[in-house]
Amino acid sequence: MRLKLSPATGARWARQVRTTGHASPAPQGCPPGRGKLEPYRAFFEELIAQDPDITLFELRDALADAKGVKVHHSSIAGLLSRLGFTYKKSLWLRPNAVVPR
């Protein structure tokens, strides 16, 4: 049986068999654990309790000022979604005239 694969892939598989004795696949997905922001979970919960309308950019800046940790705002969004926080979209348009007030 012949496999169509690149020489580099064949060399990697052969090296893995030589070093480990088997060619099992490497682990896939996110690494175990909760990420680098997990130690700051209580910090974020406290800030959100003080100001429920705080933005991700304000949370990012507060973390950098208080703890010296610089992260992307999307990392904070991921942590907040894992904690169950959501955001409510605001309506940019006037209310519909059909809707009773």
Side-chain angles (χ1 to χ4, degrees):
M1 172 189 234
R2 285 188 136 181
L3 297 175
K4 291 186 177 184
L5 52 98
S6 71
T9 300
R12 276 195 304 270
W13 287 0
R15 183 176 55 245
Q16 184 178 5
V17 169
R18 278 193 313 271
T19 57
T20 63
H22 54 83
S24 61
Q28 299 289 313
C30 296
R34 294 292 205 166
K36 81 183 230 182
L37 290 179
E38 185 63 27
Y40 307 105
R41 177 181 184 169
F43 176 76
F44 287 120
E45 289 174 341
E46 180 183 335
L47 285 177
I48 293 170
Q50 291 173 3
D51 182 12
D53 291 330
I54 194 167
T55 66
L56 290 173
F57 295 100
E58 292 170 341
L59 287 171
R60 179 197 62 194
D61 295 340
L63 180 65
D65 292 341
K67 307 291 184 180
V69 178
K70 294 185 179 186
V71 295
H72 196 265
H73 67 275
S74 64
S75 300
I76 297 172
L79 173 71
L80 295 180
S81 70
R82 284 193 305 272
L83 295 177
F85 289 100
T86 59
Y87 67 95
K88 184 172 182 172
K89 296 179 182 176
S90 61
L91 298 176
W92 293 100
L93 302 174
R94 300 181 314 176
N96 192 340
V98 178
V99 177
R101 292 182 190 217

